[in-house]
């Protein structure tokens, strides 16, 4: 009985502990002070102690942030060897300075981050780490920064190079060969005026994509561990899509949108800083020049997506972009085959499988190899963080190919960077889509995928790695029911028929009552 | 007779309100309904989905755009209920307003529940069947149920339109009988006079 009690208590304890640990954090995270009205380390045991007035701000940063109001406050964390960062590391934090004064944002003796006053309205940041091999400090200084503006800072060391980022943009790098530990306590915000939030330490030099991802998340009010709709997001715990990613309400990855591009469904636009916008609420998508709008909408003269009043299929003339009431003039797609053609809202309702002979497949008049079903993955980039390698699917490598009497969508997944003398890892994914016709706004599609090794494929016998990357690049079989045609769903209820029916029912009711 | 005239006045006023309401009120009603439906629907969906974006009459939920058009806020149901409430005789103003309030609130709540349910199932294969079920089967039954429930709750006995029509029919019938009697009452003495005069002439 006692054993059972201990066991149950253990389970309760473990569940309580696991509830306090964020579930989607980087595995390399060592400490994370979120400043959510406390100074606790939310992943480790390195809790801070405040000296001076405690005041919080819940507006500017992520959740709440610690407010340094008089330059005398500071947060101290007791010395501990993991905080010495004498191996590869990353430090991240958010700040917003309100008074430009010389101050120290982070200090551990062997490394620090300082704010340097330029004048009343401007300041710069300096990161410094002591190189114990060369017996000298290694410094990197930022450009001029504005007060009352929030900045995301990240300092990384990969064992050879120190690099300093502000808002995901590198401020410079410097060689750093070795670091050493100190017995000093870790201090945050000595002499500082403003807000400090989301300080995190990692025992790994985070890739720039991850740093940008954390910056984007924090901008949208999410902490570094939270999965979000904008910025980078993992397709699995090991892969990331460069650009923006769209997720469903359960947080499952749906598809990626490359930088400065429109999503294939036209609902989203990803800008150069990997921020995701809804095209219905933003002019950036339409300003790309195409028709970056959801199905059923078109870009108007003011670069705003407006609802179509006429369905694309009603246009019988191809026309050109300057002629109104023609297919191209109304920003629809003209699809031709055997001399005749028709106008359609979006080519993604069709796939390469629509071509029935080798010549039409390879010619791809309708551009289905780049615009059709399944091409969402084209132009995206993934990082295998276990191998620290990037793989790219270039837009130009997506095409329709005639293989074994069928027209397939094929694209090449290739390693982006590889060393001198190394063979580039790459493979080709071939996907056959069977797309049913669009019935009442719904369409069933299923697809089968196959991987064929590229010439000089360096994966060799490592089919596991190749399959893993294939899965991450959507090179797998599956099926789904999806919206097609008019993407906007209306749910009307009451019309003339319902009015007549309701009147009859009510009349019948009163008539029967009268009979009784 | 005085009471009859006050009932006629009541009918004129009630049907006047119906005509004016239908002519001028529906546009404003639909605007208010659109705004309130989108606002409340967005709030409810945000609770379930977290991220819901609204652009005018378009609501983007879980990657799917819904248009909250005029047909979706079912302004016609509110209109029909308004007509039913005001075309029912022998109901005090307070009970009439209470009936209007109850039927409209019920309609709003049920329509909201319907829209939420359809949003939840939009990506499933049975979305169209469910939408059809609501539109063609449940919608007329729904209006009937709301009206009958409200009539029972507020003990409204009169039949909409029919009670007024019957009353007016009876009134017209009663009035024409009365006029005939009146004409007859005037006609008899004259007849007598004429007969007497004729008899007098012949006898005299």
């Amino acid at each position: 009985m006692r054993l059972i009690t201990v066991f149950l208590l253990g389970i309760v304890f473990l569940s309580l502990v696991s509830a306090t640990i964020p579930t989607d954090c980087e595995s390399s995270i060592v400490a994370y002070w979120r400043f959510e009205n406390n100074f606790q380390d939310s992943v480790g045991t390195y809790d801070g102690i405040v000296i001076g007035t405690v005041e919080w701000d819940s507006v500017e940063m992520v959740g709440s942030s610690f407010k340094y109001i008089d330059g005398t406050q500071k947060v101290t964390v007791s010395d501990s060897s993991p905080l010495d960062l004498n191996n590869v590391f990353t430090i991240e934090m958010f700040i917003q300075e309100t008074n430009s004064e010389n101050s120290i944002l982070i200090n551990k003796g062997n490394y620090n981050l300082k704010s340097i006053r330029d004048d009343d309205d401007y300041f710069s940041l300096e990161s410094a780490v002591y190189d114990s091999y060369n017996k000298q400090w290694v410094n990197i200084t930022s450009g001029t920064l504005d007060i009352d503006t929030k900045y995301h800072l990240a300092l990384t060391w990969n064992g050879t190079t120190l690099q300093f980022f502000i808002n995901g943009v590198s401020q410079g790098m410097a060689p750093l060969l070795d670091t050493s530990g100190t017995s000093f306590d870790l201090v945050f915000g000595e002499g500082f005026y403003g807000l400090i939030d989301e300080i995190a330490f990692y025992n790994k030099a985070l890739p720039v994509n991850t740093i940008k991802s954390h910056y984007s998340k924090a901008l949208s009010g999410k902490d570094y561990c939270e999965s979000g709709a904008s910025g980078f997001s993992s397709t699995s715990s090991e892969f990331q899509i460069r650009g923006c990613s769209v997720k469903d309400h359960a947080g499952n990855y749906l598809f990626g949108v490359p930088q400065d591009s429109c999503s294939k469904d036209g609902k989203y636009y990803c800008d150069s800083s990997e921020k995701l916008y809804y095209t219905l609420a933003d002019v950036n998508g339409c300003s790309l020049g195409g028709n970056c709008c959801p199905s059923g909408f078109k870009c108007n003269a003011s670069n705003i997506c407006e609802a179509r009043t006429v369905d694309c299929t009603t246009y019988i003339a191809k026309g050109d972009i300057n002629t109104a009431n023609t297919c191209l003039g109304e920003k629809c797609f003209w699809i031709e085959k055997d001399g005749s053609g028709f106008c359609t809202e979006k080519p993604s309702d069709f796939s390469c499988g629509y071509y029935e002979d080798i010549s039409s497949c390879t010619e791809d008049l309708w551009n289905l190899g780049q615009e059709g079903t399944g091409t969402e993955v084209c132009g995206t980039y993934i990082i295998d963080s276990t191998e620290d390698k990037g793989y790219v699917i270039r837009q130009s490598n997506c095409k329709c190919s005639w293989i074994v009497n069928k027209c397939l969508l094929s694209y090449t997944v290739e390693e982006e960077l590889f060393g001198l003398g190394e063979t580039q890892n790459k493979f080709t994914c071939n996907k056959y889509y069977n797309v049913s016709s669009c019935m009442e706004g719904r369409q069933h599609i299923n697809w089968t995928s196959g991987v064929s090794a590229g010439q000089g494929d360096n994966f060799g016998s490592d089919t596991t790695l190749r399959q893993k990357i294939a899965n991450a690049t959507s090179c797998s079989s599956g099926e789904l029911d999806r919206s097609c045609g008019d993407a906007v769903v209306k749910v009307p209820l009451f019309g003339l028929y319902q009015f007549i029916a309701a009147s009859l029912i009510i009349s019948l009711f009163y008539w029967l009552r009268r009979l009784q | 007779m005085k009471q009859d005239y006050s009932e006629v006045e009541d009918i004129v006023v009630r049907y006047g309100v119906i005509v004016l309401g239908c002519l001028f009120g529906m546009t404003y009603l639909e605007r208010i309904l659109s705004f309130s439906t989108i606002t409340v629907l967005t709030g409810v969906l945000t609770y379930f989905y977290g991220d819901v974006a609204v652009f005018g009459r378009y609501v983007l939920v879980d990657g799917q755009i819904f248009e909250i058009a005029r047909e979706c806020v079912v302004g016609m149901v509110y209109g029909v209920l308004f007509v039913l409430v005001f075309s029912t005789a022998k109901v005090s103003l307070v009970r009439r307003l209470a009936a209007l309030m109850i039927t409209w609130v019920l309609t709003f709540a049920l329509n909201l529940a319907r829209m939420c349910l359809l949003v939840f199932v939009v990506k499933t294969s049975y979305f169209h069947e469910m939408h059809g079920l609501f539109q063609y089967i449940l919608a007329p039954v729904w209006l009937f149920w709301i009206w009958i429930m409200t009539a029972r709750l507020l003990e409204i006995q009169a039949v909409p339109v029919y009670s007024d029509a019957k009353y007016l029919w009876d009134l017209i019938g009663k009035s024409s009988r009365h006029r005939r009697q009146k004409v007859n009452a005037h006609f008899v003495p004259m007849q007598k006079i004429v007969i007497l005069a004729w008899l007098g002439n012949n006898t005299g």
Side-chain angles (χ1 to χ4, degrees):
Chain A
M1 188 63 196
R2 210 181 307 164
L3 271 173
I4 293 170
T5 312
V6 169
F7 177 72
L8 289 173
L9 279 173
I11 287 176
V12 170
F13 176 73
L14 279 174
S15 53
L16 283 173
V17 168
S18 63
T20 63
I21 297 173
T23 51
D24 205 12
C25 293
E26 300 292 329
S27 56
S28 57
I29 197 162
V30 173
Y32 188 6
W33 297 273
R34 297 170 182 229
F35 296 97
E36 293 306 307
N37 298 317
N38 62 55
F39 301 96
Q40 289 169 1
D41 170 13
S42 59
V43 296
T45 54
Y46 312 113
D47 293 346
I49 297 165
V50 69
I51 296 165
T53 315
V54 177
E55 198 161 321
W56 303 99
D57 178 275
S58 58
V59 178
E60 298 291 342
M61 302 277 188
V62 181
S64 67
S65 52
F66 186 50
K67 201 169 182 178
Y68 290 80
I69 48 171
D70 54 16
T72 62
Q73 301 149 282
K74 61 181 179 180
V75 177
T76 307
V77 180
S78 300
D79 174 46
S80 183
S81 59
L83 302 178
D84 284 342
L85 304 181
N86 49 13
N87 206 333
V88 290
F89 69 82
T90 299
I91 300 170
E92 280 186 305
M93 68 188 300
F94 250 88
I95 65 154
Q96 180 169 322
E97 192 157 326
T98 49
N99 278 2
S100 179
E101 297 291 345
N102 289 335
S103 60
I104 302 173
L105 302 172
I106 289 182
N107 188 16
K108 181 72 174 68
N110 59 331
Y111 60 87
N112 61 57
L113 267 168
K114 290 178 190 166
S115 170
I116 314 289
R117 177 192 158 92
D118 283 2
D119 64 24
D120 283 351
D121 296 327
Y122 301 103
F123 66 100
S124 52
L125 294 170
E126 182 189 87
S127 59
V129 180
Y130 187 72
D131 186 341
S132 57
Y133 183 81
N134 289 318
K135 310 280 185 220
Q136 63 180 23
W137 285 88
V138 176
N139 301 306
I140 301 173
T141 308
S142 74
T144 306
L145 306 170
D146 297 326
I147 64 163
D148 295 326
T149 306
K150 56 183 172 187
Y151 293 102
H152 175 252
L153 323 179
L155 185 66
T156 66
W157 181 51
N158 62 7
T160 55
T161 308
L162 183 72
Q163 196 166 7
F164 186 35
F165 298 88
I166 294 181
N167 295 349
V169 178
S170 177
Q171 303 296 300
M173 54 177 79
L176 174 66
L177 297 180
D178 201 5
T179 61
S180 57
T182 64
S183 57
F184 294 108
D185 288 343
L186 177 65
V187 179
F188 302 138
E190 209 168 351
F192 180 71
Y193 290 84
L195 305 172
I196 286 184
D197 199 11
E198 306 298 312
I199 302 178
F201 283 22
Y202 306 84
N203 58 16
K204 178 186 174 184
L206 294 179
V208 62
N209 301 330
T210 309
I211 291 169
K212 284 183 175 179
S213 157
H214 290 179
Y215 167 55
S216 318
K217 280 182 187 175
L219 276 186
S220 58
K222 293 169 180 168
D223 63 43
Y224 304 146
C225 299
E226 197 171 331
S227 51
S230 64
F232 291 72
S233 287
S234 299
T235 54
S236 70
S237 56
E238 292 175 358
F239 290 99
Q240 292 175 317
I241 298 283
R242 189 173 193 176
C244 307
S245 67
V246 179
K247 294 183 170 186
D248 67 11
H249 69 279
N252 301 316
Y253 172 84
L254 293 176
F255 54 85
V257 186
Q259 288 174 328
D260 286 321
S261 299
C262 186
S263 64
K264 297 281 181 192
D265 64 7
K267 290 174 192 161
Y268 307 94
Y269 166 73
C270 180
D271 73 2
S272 54
S273 58
E274 287 117 19
K275 197 172 174 194
L276 197 68
Y277 298 90
Y278 294 113
T279 51
L280 286 177
D282 191 76
V283 296
N284 285 319
C286 280
S287 62
L288 287 172
N291 190 43
C292 186
C293 290
S295 184
F297 293 80
K298 65 171 184 175
C299 290
N300 66 10
S302 311
N303 281 340
I304 292 167
C305 292
E306 65 176 13
R308 286 186 188 279
T309 50
V310 179
D311 192 79
C312 282
T313 52
T314 57
Y315 299 111
I316 50 170
K318 183 179 178 184
D320 58 62
I321 54 166
N322 297 318
T323 314
N325 296 323
T326 61
C327 185
L328 298 183
E330 296 300 327
K331 309 213 166 166
C332 304
F333 288 88
W334 183 257
I335 288 183
E336 268 181 39
K337 193 180 186 183
D338 302 330
S340 63
F342 63 95
C343 194
T344 182
E345 171 87 42
K346 50 178 185 173
S348 58
D349 286 351
F350 302 86
S351 73
C352 289
Y354 208 77
Y355 298 119
E356 291 170 350
D357 57 74
I358 186 168
S359 60
S360 60
C361 176
T362 49
E363 207 173 356
D364 191 12
L365 271 173
W366 306 346
N367 206 25
L368 299 180
Q370 301 221 335
E371 298 278 352
T373 304
T375 56
E376 296 84 6
V377 73
C378 302
T380 59
Y381 176 94
I382 67 157
I383 293 171
D384 175 2
S385 54
T386 53
E387 304 274 324
D388 210 14
K389 283 182 177 175
Y391 293 86
V392 64
I393 303 163
R394 297 181 204 284
Q395 187 74 42
S396 56
N397 281 344
C398 287
K399 59 184 179 185
C400 292
S401 301
W402 187 258
I403 300 169
V404 199
N405 294 326
K406 276 181 180 168
C407 192
L408 313 181
L409 168 69
S410 79
Y411 53 83
T412 307
V413 180
E414 55 190 19
E415 193 179 358
E416 193 187 31
L417 299 169
F418 52 100
L420 281 171
E422 283 180 8
T423 311
Q424 185 185 26
N425 276 338
K426 63 179 177 183
F427 62 86
T428 303
C429 177
N430 298 310
K431 296 176 85 170
Y432 177 68
Y433 281 91
N434 187 8
V435 182
S436 69
S437 53
C438 183
M439 297 283 285
E440 294 181 329
R442 301 297 296 175
Q443 186 177 41
H444 182 80
I445 60 170
N446 61 59
W447 61 94
T448 48
S449 301
V451 172
S452 62
Q455 199 176 7
D457 177 6
N458 200 33
F459 287 114
S461 58
D462 193 357
T463 52
T464 314
L465 176 62
R466 187 168 57 200
Q467 193 54 49
K468 195 167 72 169
I469 293 163
N471 290 339
T473 51
S474 304
C475 191
S476 53
S477 302
E479 63 176 333
L480 61 84
D481 264 309
R482 66 175 189 181
S483 297
C484 57
D486 185 3
V488 179
V489 174
K490 284 186 200 172
V491 282
L493 182 72
F494 214 82
L496 186 64
Y497 156 77
Q498 289 79 0
F499 172 72
I500 294 169
S503 305
L504 284 175
I505 295 171
I506 292 173
S507 306
L508 191 68
F509 170 80
Y510 281 114
W511 182 66
L512 289 172
R513 199 177 70 169
R514 196 160 164 253
L515 284 181
Q516 286 169 359
Chain B
M1 286 305 283
K2 197 182 173 188
Q3 197 186 348
D4 285 349
Y5 282 119
S6 75
E7 280 194 33
V8 172
E9 278 170 17
D10 180 53
I11 289 171
V12 170
V13 169
R14 280 193 286 114
Y15 284 85
V17 168
I18 289 172
V19 170
L20 289 175
C22 291
L23 280 177
F24 306 108
M26 286 305 288
T27 314
Y28 298 105
L29 180 68
E30 278 178 347
R31 273 186 206 167
I32 294 166
L33 284 173
S34 291
F35 173 77
S36 47
T37 305
I38 290 171
T39 308
V40 180
L41 182 71
T42 308
V44 175
L45 293 175
T46 305
Y47 175 77
F48 289 105
Y49 288 93
D51 188 19
V52 177
V54 182
F55 322 100
R57 63 177 191 274
Y58 299 100
V59 178
L60 201 158
V61 190
D62 206 14
Q64 180 65 56
I65 299 172
F66 293 85
E67 184 182 354
I68 311 299
R70 282 176 61 233
E71 303 94 311
C72 304
V73 299
V74 293
M76 197 170 170
V77 174
Y78 294 85
V80 171
L81 289 168
F82 171 74
V83 171
L84 283 172
V85 168
F86 275 85
S87 62
T88 309
K90 294 169 189 166
V91 180
S92 69
L93 183 65
V94 175
R95 274 202 302 165
R96 209 179 286 285
L97 292 176
L100 197 65
M101 187 68 79
I102 291 168
T103 53
W104 281 14
V105 168
L106 268 175
T107 305
F108 187 82
L110 284 173
N111 190 40
L112 206 67
R114 174 189 76 100
M115 289 168 88
C116 287
L117 191 65
L118 291 175
V119 169
F120 295 148
V121 301
V122 71
K123 289 183 178 173
T124 63
S125 54
Y126 49 89
F127 166 75
H128 287 284
E129 285 75 14
M130 188 166 277
H131 182 214
L133 180 76
F134 272 112
Q135 195 173 7
Y136 297 109
I137 312 280
L138 295 180
V141 178
W142 169 0
L143 186 99
F144 163 76
W145 178 79
I146 288 178
W147 171 247
I148 298 302
M149 285 295 292
T150 310
R152 287 221 170 139
L153 191 73
L154 298 174
E155 294 171 351
I156 298 171
Q157 296 298 324
V159 181
V161 185
Y162 174 78
S163 300
D164 287 331
K166 189 172 179 298
Y167 169 77
L168 287 174
W169 182 258
D170 291 347
L171 189 68
I172 291 164
K174 206 192 288 178
S175 151
S176 57
R177 269 199 310 276
H178 179 71
R179 205 179 306 122
R180 256 199 317 272
Q181 281 169 0
K182 235 175 163 182
V183 169
N184 289 344
H186 285 282
F187 178 72
V188 174
M190 280 300 289
Q191 218 174 12
K192 278 181 182 173
I193 293 164
V194 171
I195 291 166
L196 286 173
W198 181 76
L199 285 172
N201 287 340
N202 287 332
T203 54

